[in-house]
Every structure is written in C-alpha cells, then in structure tokens.
Amino acid sequence: MEGRRWELTPYNEEVGIARYLADRYLEITEDGVANLRTALETVAAADNAPVVVHCAAGKDRTGVLTALVLSLVGVDEDDIVADYALTGRATERFIADWRRRHPDTPLWPGFGLAPAETMRLFLTDLTARHGSIERYVTQVLQLSPDAVAELRAHLLTESNGAG
C-alpha cells in the first residue's frame, strides 16, 4: 500500500522508533490512497467475509489497515493501540526468520518492533490532519457511506445480554 520506500527517510535515533514508524504510517495514508480504499472496500463487503489481512511483518501496512477498520467500527483507541502492540510478541521469531532468509542484510534498530506509542502517534496525527479517522476514510479515501455502513453491519453484532 505504501508508495515511498522507507530508506528514503533513514532512521534517526533522535526521532525514536515510535515517531519514525508513525511517520511512515502517515506516508502510507498519503501514498496508498487507492490501495487502502480497495482494501477497505474488500473488508467492508459482507460477501468477502471472513477476510485475512497480512503483510511481511504483519504490523505496518496491516497495522494501518486494521486500525482504520477498528476505528470505523467504534473500537476504542486504547484497544486499537493494545491490539497493534500484540504484534511485538512475534518480533523475536520474525527477526530470526528474516535473518535466516537474508543473512547479509543489515537491520536497523527498530526492525520488527511494534511499540504501542507508534499506533497512538499515528492515530493522533491522522485525526489531527483530517478531523477524524472516518473523515479521512470518507473524504480522502472516498469510501462511500454505504461501504462504511456495510462494514459496520457485518463486523458488529448486537449483544443480547446473555453471557
């Protein structure tokens, strides 16, 4: 979904991993408009359910798309952040596998990490730029209100109070 290669903005330790990643995620929302719209339309269509979303590391493009979906269905920001941070549980295995497949490729210090603060910064900045996540999705990505309604209708269930 992203357009710019991350190496065009080298990692700077003074910026920190969370800020660096959040800025790359914001770039995805600028460069990946058509692809994000297609992905959201795909997830929104009830006929496509269930849907699996993944990418190489399972945290960057997947994290952006999943955060948009969760936000659209009303999941609390703290829960979105916590969900994203769960990816960190797989970081050690991900890096070991990457090193096995790419033994001569140097890794930058934040490779594979998913600090919770990254997602918090990303959501805060995207909201500041566009007023809300839904506004970004409907105005920039131009996802139709009908698609947003379908997404909510098939991803949300009403609780009948039974436990």
Side-chain angles (χ1 to χ4, degrees), residues 102-140:
H102 309 285
D104 299 324
T105 303
L107 302 179
W108 63 284
F111 185 81
L113 297 179
E117 187 63 16
T118 296
M119 186 54 63
R120 183 148 337 264
L121 289 168
F122 166 68
L123 292 170
T124 299
D125 292 349
L126 190 64
T127 299
R129 285 184 183 186
H130 301 285
S132 70
I133 303 300
E134 185 167 349
R135 193 167 172 198
Y136 164 75
V137 167
T138 56
Q139 293 185 357
V140 177

Side-chain angles (χ1 to χ4, degrees), residues 8 11 14 16 19 25 79 81 87-88 99 101 104 111 115 121 123 127 133 135 146:
L8 295 179
Y11 173 68
E14 291 177 19
R19 176 81 267 163
Y25 296 178
D79 292 329
V81 169
T87 304
R99 287 190 190 279
R101 291 183 292 121
D104 299 324
F111 185 81
L121 289 168
L123 292 170
T127 299
I133 303 300
R135 193 167 172 198
D146 288 344

